[in-house]
Amino acid sequence: MTSTNSKIVEMPALPELEQQAAIWMMRIEEGLNAEREREFQSWLSAKDLHRTVFERVSQGWLELDVLESLNDVAEHADIQKSLEEVGREQHTGFLPSFMARALVIGSAVAAGIVAMVSLTEPPSTAIEDQYLTSIGEQRNVSLPDGSTMILNTNSNSQLHYNDQSRTIFLRRGQAFFDVKKDASRPFIVKTPKGDVQAIGTAFSVSIIDDQLQVVVQEGRVALTPNEGGRQVLESKLSDSEPIELTAGHITTFVEFLAEPEIVDLAEIERQLDWRDGVIGFRGESLEDVVQQISPYTDFEIQIDGEALKNQPIGGYFKIGETEALFDALALMANVKVDRLGPDRVRLYRSVETKTE
Amino acid sequence: MSKILFAFTQNKTTIRRIVKKYAPTLESEDLMQEVFLRCFAAERKNLILNPKAFVLKVAKNSAISANKSLGMRMESSIDEALGGETMIDPSARVDSIVGEREKLNLLVSALLEMPEEHREALLLKKVEGLKFKQIATRLDVSVSTVEKRVSFALLYCMQKMKKMGLDTSELNQHGRSSTWSKVGAYSASGAGTKQH
């Protein structure tokens, strides 16, 4: 459990006060739970000076928003030009500016660079960009044509726009697309298992553990599986015809393409809950819940006891807030959380609470 | 970051010469600051294989386009002078006293003065817009360490803004003298503790 020992009792001199105010500012930025909110309010009202200092600190915090414009500075035409020129002059090989641009925020991306080099074929007018998310992270990306892409946890996508087409390579993970109509430029999501083409549509595509899944919320999409993917539906299809999926369809395939499943809109919505940063549960077993949240957390979660594994769970899991889930389990289901290591926990129920 | 900063400091004279050559009528120090800001921003998003060549290129390209837009700006201010009325947005007045770009430059210089771990945490928050939790994962430290680092960076920047007279709040009569050194002390005690 997170330690909540930061009860502020004494009334320190000013610099400490600024630090306290700044720390509160950080916590507020991240969101306060009810307990923390109460703690904050009592801190704030303890002295007039607290409020004064806090207002100043929060003003300062807002001032720092100007740093966001570094993003625009980095995109400046002079910089792009310079990157291209420097790249061209280098004998070691031309690093196209799109690639340079694609190396979003340093560290996490290193592995991606190697993969990308092999597929360089940059036409001059094309827009190329790579978007990645780490485990537990989601990104909302506005695409150049006005479409949007919501990238779920642990995903890797690459954008390739030119005059003829809008293509997204989804190499790993899950993405939801809300596509702007543009008859002259088809919108295609390419995955290692097949291609999904949209026609003014809202849909999600995921490619996780070699399994392709398409969920259609609105409009129509055309799915063209790669070799081997169409065997199940072979009888119903002429050779090169794509499979059309309309709103309410979910289709999944691993080795073979399964018959598209039609579900009600509520189920589609639930399948797409992750876009809002939450996953809903309606009485699934704890084992299922743990399995479903596993893509969003670095924690390896072990459940002890059959009864606990089958414990039905209802409610919402906020993506990236695994600790809150543990807290909720402890509170609602009387589950004990045993820390086996920084990334490993064991969930169990103490013997005296249940007849076991 | 450091590579660009290094390349910039090492080649300051050359950069100044380039800037003066391509934008002879412009204030070279301002332009150099802009060049640095651009390189600094670019390095966060790009893999720069040859920092020196890149810095010099940015200097050249920035000077050329600043020189070009200076010509355009002069024309438009003549137009304004002839045309009379220009729209003044009252809300923009604070910012016009202290230009956004000036504020950005100042903050970046404050960032360069602080330890890299604090700077990085703040930039991931304000530039990349990440949550503390995500920053913690990326930097492999606890969330509370991230909170401490970012709040240190915040207080440091506020201090710097105040020093330069860019403090927009009027509430700074409280203890303004002692905070500076205490912020430093805070960095040593609070933010330095790494918990895993």
Side-chain angles (χ1 to χ4, degrees), chain A residues 37-71:
Chain A
E37 174 73 43
R38 256 179 282 120
E39 223 180 292
F40 172 63
Q41 288 305 334
S42 70
W43 178 84
L44 203 57
S45 50
K47 275 202 165 186
D48 283 351
L49 193 55
H50 286 195
R51 196 173 290 274
T52 312
V53 172
F54 182 76
E55 276 168 13
R56 185 151 53 85
V57 167
S58 60
Q59 175 67 32
W61 183 240
L62 285 179
E63 299 270 355
L64 297 192
D65 282 351
V66 73
L67 287 171
E68 204 194 330
S69 57
L70 282 174
N71 287 316

Side-chain angles (χ1 to χ4, degrees), chain A residues 43-314:
Chain A
W43 178 84
L44 203 57
S45 50
K47 275 202 165 186
D48 283 351
L49 193 55
H50 286 195
R51 196 173 290 274
T52 312
V53 172
F54 182 76
E55 276 168 13
R56 185 151 53 85
V57 167
S58 60
Q59 175 67 32
W61 183 240
L62 285 179
E63 299 270 355
L64 297 192
D65 282 351
V66 73
L67 287 171
E68 204 194 330
S69 57
L70 282 174
N71 287 316
D72 301 331
V73 175
E75 294 293 317
H76 195 282
D78 288 341
I79 289 182
Q80 299 312 324
K81 194 168 172 236
S82 306
L83 283 168
E84 276 164 35
E85 288 175 3
V86 171
R88 220 173 295 139
E89 283 162 18
Q90 236 146 28
H91 292 300
T92 45
F94 164 43
L95 182 74
S97 71
F98 82 83
M99 267 191 60
R101 233 184 303 136
L103 310 179
V104 211
I105 358 167
S107 59
V109 194
I113 303 167
V114 184
M116 287 184 57
V117 176
S118 58
L119 13 113
T120 7
E121 31 158 75
S124 56
T125 55
I127 303 171
E128 306 246 2
D129 247 321
Q130 192 181 26
Y131 298 94
L132 298 120
T133 50
S134 56
I135 292 173
E137 186 184 1
Q138 296 184 324
R139 279 180 82 172
N140 210 326
V141 182
S142 303
L143 301 173
D145 62 326
S147 300
T148 52
M149 169 170 79
I150 308 175
L151 209 53
N152 204 358
T153 177
N154 195 20
S155 300
N156 177 347
S157 72
Q158 193 190 348
L159 189 74
H160 185 135
Y161 272 42
N162 60 28
D163 296 340
Q164 285 84 45
S165 68
R166 299 169 287 171
T167 308
I168 311 277
F169 295 94
L170 186 66
R171 299 212 162 71
R172 181 184 73 238
Q174 184 169 33
F176 175 83
F177 302 95
D178 196 343
V179 181
K180 272 267 149 58
K181 270 195 183 130
D182 181 351
S184 64
R185 288 198 300 168
F187 188 98
I188 305 164
V189 181
K190 285 183 177 289
T191 78
K193 281 277 167 181
D195 301 346
V196 184
Q197 181 172 344
I199 311 133
T201 302
F203 66 106
S204 86
V205 178
S206 70
I207 180 86
I208 297 166
D209 296 337
D210 227 24
Q211 174 175 323
L212 170 69
Q213 188 185 59
V214 182
V215 178
V216 185
Q217 187 189 30
E218 247 178 67
R220 285 180 299 140
V221 303
L223 170 66
T224 313
N226 290 349
E227 278 309 302
R230 49 173 59 245
Q231 295 176 29
V232 162
L233 293 181
E234 197 70 34
S235 53
K236 298 177 191 163
L237 292 166
S238 66
D239 251 354
S240 58
E241 192 186 321
I243 300 146
E244 189 173 290
L245 303 169
T246 53
H249 274 97
I250 294 182
T251 183
T252 308
F253 78 87
V254 192
E255 283 289 311
F256 305 105
L257 185 69
E259 183 85 46
E261 186 187 341
I262 300 185
V263 297
D264 62 18
L265 221 59
E267 176 59 21
I268 293 280
E269 284 297 329
R270 216 175 63 82
Q271 288 275 346
L272 297 172
D273 265 349
W274 61 266
R275 290 173 304 169
D276 306 320
V278 293
I279 309 173
F281 297 107
R282 293 181 304 191
E284 283 91 335
S285 70
L286 181 57
E287 199 171 20
D288 275 356
V289 170
V290 165
Q291 199 212 328
Q292 283 195 51
I293 66 157
S294 65
Y296 299 97
T297 178
D298 286 321
F299 278 108
E300 196 183 304
I301 303 165
Q302 171 195 334
I303 310 167
D304 276 7
E306 282 309 306
L308 187 56
K309 278 183 186 166
N310 295 322
Q311 165 79 45
I313 302 291

Side-chain angles (χ1 to χ4, degrees), chain A residues 18 30 63 65 71 78, chain B residues 38 45 65 103 126 168 179:
Chain A
E18 295 204 335
E30 206 71 345
E63 299 270 355
D65 282 351
N71 287 316
D78 288 341
Chain B
R38 287 178 176 185
K45 307 270 175 191
S65 60
K103 197 159 97 184
K126 285 290 187 184
T168 50
T179 325

Side-chain angles (χ1 to χ4, degrees), chain B residues 58-77:
Chain B
V58 173
K60 181 183 164 189
N61 287 326
S62 303
I64 290 172
S65 60
N67 203 38
K68 219 185 283 170
S69 71
L70 174 76
M72 275 156 31
R73 215 176 310 139
M74 278 170 72
E75 277 169 35
S76 73
S77 63

Side-chain angles (χ1 to χ4, degrees), chain B residues 8-9 11-21 23-38 59 62-63 66 101-102 105-106 109:
Chain B
F8 191 87
T9 357
N11 299 286
K12 242 181 172 164
T13 333
T14 320
I15 295 165
R16 191 173 289 115
R17 191 171 49 75
I18 291 173
V19 160
K20 279 193 171 141
K21 179 179 166 194
T25 57
L26 283 163
E27 178 55 60
S28 61
E29 288 307 312
D30 288 352
L31 204 43
M32 283 182 69
Q33 198 166 25
E34 179 68 16
V35 170
F36 178 72
L37 188 71
R38 287 178 176 185
S62 303
R101 191 44 70 95
E102 194 184 334
N105 274 318
L106 181 84
S109 70

Side-chain angles (χ1 to χ4, degrees), chain A residues 2 106 157 224 321 349:
Chain A
T2 40
S157 72
T224 313
E321 297 185 9
R349 218 170 236 162

